[in-house]
Structure formats: structure tokens, C-alpha cells
Amino acid sequence: MKFFHLVFALCLLRSVSTSHLKYHAIFNFGDSLSDTGNFLVSGALAFPVIGKLPYGETFFRHATGRCSDGRLVIDFMAEAFRLPYLPPYLALKEGQNFKHGVNFAVAGATALRSVIFYKQKIGSRLWTNDSLSVQIDWFKKLKSSICSTRKDCETYFKKSLFFVGEIGGNDYNYRAFVGGSINQLRASVPLVVKAITNATRLLIEEGAVELVVPGNFPIGCSAVYLTLFQSLNEMDYDRNGCLKAPNAFARYHNTMLKAELHKLRQKYPHANIIYADYYGAAMRFYHAPGHYGFSNGAVKACCGGGGPYNFNNSARCGHTGSRACENPSTHANWDGIHLTESAYRHVANGLIHGPFATPSLL
């Protein structure tokens, strides 16, 4: 009985642990890991698969433009702070109340401006031209509708949480998927990290004081990388079945990002700049998938067109020849690229309840 009371008390503590954080709004910038509908509204593709089931089947019961079967990390963050889900910026209607925040993220977005990719002859690969800088411009345009005076803005933004990413993954993906080597990807890291920290700086100068900047996920554990870069050499894989080289690259990006965020903290000591360790939060379930309920593993996609990791580029989730698994909650990977709602929940919990946010969110 004492054990039951202890467990109950711990659960109760966890459920109310964010109640003292009085964030009145969340503003989010990023790519498909946090887009709640902007790509769909933008019309960048005539018939995007994320606009139909099985996307959205788990929680919303219909497609919302989220690249998953249900909620994303940003949705769980909104729930944690008892805020409504963030409306996509491009879907805002005249007179709509968005005092609790807005989502500017767009699936396929890059940290670098799209013109850079066109100069490198890979612009045709881009899903969207709505890069991080475009999203920051959207925020600036919307700001006058949020607060009218400097004092009002200071008061409002002190109670607002800004998520800058995850962003940058696509900058590497677009290059990697056209044959770019790890060394070529590494060469672009300083530019990508600079774009992320520059956006963070601009938001601080616009009045943001509470900011979360996530790092990259362990991409060597994703079904798309495991499929496209599969190797016959067992030494290329770690004990979790993930590719070592892409994961080492993700860690390199994250190390560079943390170093630049440290410089930003020194320049803007009044701002609380939090690094979100998506890599560490996700590696927990890649290391022990069964412990987190992923009985079908963490690297094989729930929705796909077959193959060892259920990722087939010619029959991707939502396309002819693909199908979704019966229970997405038993998988960490949703469509080969993105995670399931269950996996995103574990990542969000790792940020909210620790230890994967530095400094702590609580």
C-alpha cells in the first residue's frame, strides 16, 4: 500500500509540475518535425500525402498537416503548459484570436535561405522555399497584431516561450539524398548553425526572453538513412542497429550548436536560452525500445512500402503500395523520416521532466 501511495504521489507531482510556469503563449519555428499545417495550407504540392489518412489517424482521427500519426513534440509542450494547440500561421483568419501563440514551422523548411540550394543546383529538391528567415519575417509582420507598444510587448513576451527548431535537418538531408558525403555535410554545419543562432538572436532583439533551441535527432537511427545508406559492414552499425557515421555527424552539429548558444547567452544574459537535447531524449528508446512500449522496435517504420526498415522511396507512406501498421504506438518511427506520436511524447517528456533541457524548463 505504501508503494502504491508513493507511485500515486509521483504521478500527481509529474502531472502538475509545470503549473507554476505561466507561459501564456508559444511561438514555434521549424520544419516537418513541428509543422501543424503550414505546408498543407501553402499549396506547395498539389496532392500532399500528409493531407490524408493515415497521417493524423491516432489522435485527431483526420489529417491535419502534421507529419505523423498524431501529436508532435510542440503539441505536447502546449498541453504541458495548458495552452491550445498552435494554429498554423498561413491558416490564420482575419480577427482570429492567437494570443496563445502561433506556429510558423513549414515541412521541408531549411535553416539556410532557399536561394543557396538553387545556386548549388539542388533547389528542385526543396519541398518549400519558406526557410527559417521567411518564418522570422512572418513573425515580425504579425508582431504588430500581438502588441502595440514596447512595454506591452515586453510584458507579453516575458510570458511567451519561443521554439527555434528543430531546424537544419533538411539542409543536410537534401544534400545527403543527392549523394553528398559526410565530409561535405560537415562543411555546411557552420553555416547552418549560424542561421539558427542568427534567428534566435533576431527573436531576442524582437523581445523574446524564453527560448528553446533543439538539436538534431540521431539520424543514423532513422529508417530513411538506414535504407539509403545501408552497409554490409557490421562495424558501420552500433549496438542499437543505428548507423554510426550519420549519428556522429548529428552529434557534431549539436556540439557546434551548443557552443554558439553559449556565446549567445553571454551576449544576451537577460534571455533564458534553453538547449533541447533531442538526440539524447530519442536515444533512450533506440537503446531500449521495449522499455518504452515499442514492441515492434524503434528503427522500422510503421507506415511504408516494405523493405528491411519498411521504407521504400517508390512507395512511401500514403502512396500506392504502402500501408500503415495496425498499432503505431508499438513503433517509434512513423513513415521512415518522422516519429510516431508515442515517440514524440517520450521526447517531450524528456524535455519537460528532464534531463534533456539545458537549463531546465522547470
Side-chain angles (χ1 to χ4, degrees):
M1 185 61 71
K2 287 183 178 179
F3 176 77
F4 171 80
H5 286 156
L6 175 62
V7 171
F8 178 78
L10 288 173
C11 290
L12 183 62
L13 176 63
R14 171 160 290 202
S15 68
V16 299
S17 59
T18 57
S19 62
H20 69 286
L21 291 176
K22 302 298 182 181
Y23 292 125
H24 294 170
I26 298 176
F27 295 93
N28 182 71
F29 306 82
D31 54 26
S32 59
L33 299 183
S34 61
D35 182 3
T36 56
N38 281 312
F39 182 81
L40 206 57
V41 177
S42 74
L45 290 179
F47 304 102
V49 294
I50 62 172
K52 62 181 182 179
L53 293 173
Y55 286 87
E57 67 176 19
T58 294
F59 180 78
F60 300 99
R61 307 299 181 188
H62 63 89
T64 63
R66 290 168 173 80
C67 294
S68 182
D69 61 305
R71 290 164 289 182
L72 313 175
V73 170
I74 197 65
D75 295 313
F76 290 115
M77 298 304 296
E79 288 182 4
F81 298 115
R82 301 178 184 178
L83 296 172
Y85 299 129
L86 303 184
Y89 170 76
L90 294 179
L92 292 179
K93 296 179 174 59
E94 188 174 348
Q96 181 176 343
N97 185 343
F98 49 85
K99 67 178 182 178
H100 292 302
V102 175
N103 194 341
F104 300 94
V106 184
T110 54
L112 297 174
R113 296 175 185 272
S114 60
V115 65
I116 293 175
F117 297 91
Y118 285 99
K119 287 181 179 179
Q120 296 174 349
K121 308 300 182 184
I122 55 175
S124 61
R125 294 276 177 168
L126 299 183
W127 274 32
T128 178
N129 292 326
D130 295 329
S131 64
L132 182 56
S133 62
V134 172
Q135 297 172 32
I136 297 295
D137 287 341
W138 288 346
F139 169 75
K140 290 179 178 179
K141 291 177 183 177
L142 195 67
K143 184 180 174 183
S144 61
S145 301
I146 297 172
C147 51
S148 54
T149 68
R150 181 172 180 175
K151 184 177 181 180
D152 286 344
C153 289
E154 286 181 356
T155 301
Y156 182 80
F157 290 139
K158 280 182 180 178
K159 300 293 186 180
S160 301
L161 186 62
F162 288 76
F163 262 77
V164 189
E166 186 274 343
I167 187 80
N170 288 323
D171 296 72
Y172 308 132
N173 291 341
Y174 289 130
R175 290 183 172 90
F177 297 162
V178 294
S181 68
I182 290 293
N183 285 337
Q184 289 173 322
L185 298 186
R186 284 176 68 96
S188 67
V189 170
L191 288 175
V192 173
V193 168
K194 183 179 180 180
I196 298 169
T197 53
N198 187 54
T200 306
R201 176 186 61 80
L202 290 173
L203 289 171
I204 293 172
E205 293 178 353
E206 289 292 332
V209 291
E210 297 282 339
L211 305 101
V212 177
V213 185
N216 208 341
F217 277 107
I219 56 176
C221 300
S222 68
V224 59
Y225 272 83
L226 286 165
T227 299
L228 298 181
F229 303 104
Q230 57 187 310
S231 171
L232 296 176
N233 187 350
E234 292 183 0
M235 297 301 293
D236 290 338
Y237 296 85
D238 65 18
R239 59 178 177 172
N240 305 312
C242 303
L243 285 165
K244 292 179 181 178
N247 275 357
F249 170 77
R251 292 194 300 272
Y252 175 70
H253 165 90
N254 293 343
T255 299
M256 294 277 287
L257 178 59
K258 285 186 283 187
E260 292 304 310
L261 291 180
H262 177 68
K263 294 177 184 178
L264 272 187
R265 293 188 188 103
Q266 293 179 317
K267 186 175 181 179
Y268 301 100
H270 71 285
N272 184 29
I273 305 172
I274 300 167
Y275 173 72
D277 183 9
Y278 279 14
Y279 187 102
M283 279 307 297
R284 293 187 302 177
F285 52 73
Y286 287 120
H287 178 62
H291 180 74
Y292 294 92
F294 300 125
S295 57
N296 281 305
V299 296
K300 187 175 181 180
C302 162
C303 182
Y309 301 101
N310 198 30
F311 179 83
N312 182 338
N313 211 25
S314 62
R316 292 166 63 170
C317 182
H319 290 279
T320 302
S322 70
R323 70 179 187 88
C325 63
E326 186 174 337
N327 186 358
S329 68
T330 63
H331 289 256
N333 192 294
W334 165 242
D335 60 3
I337 301 172
H338 309 97
L339 302 182
T340 59
E341 174 182 282
S342 292
Y344 284 133
R345 184 198 303 274
H346 287 301
V347 173
N349 281 337
L351 304 185
I352 298 166
H353 304 293
F356 298 104
T358 308
S360 174
L361 269 168
L362 299 181

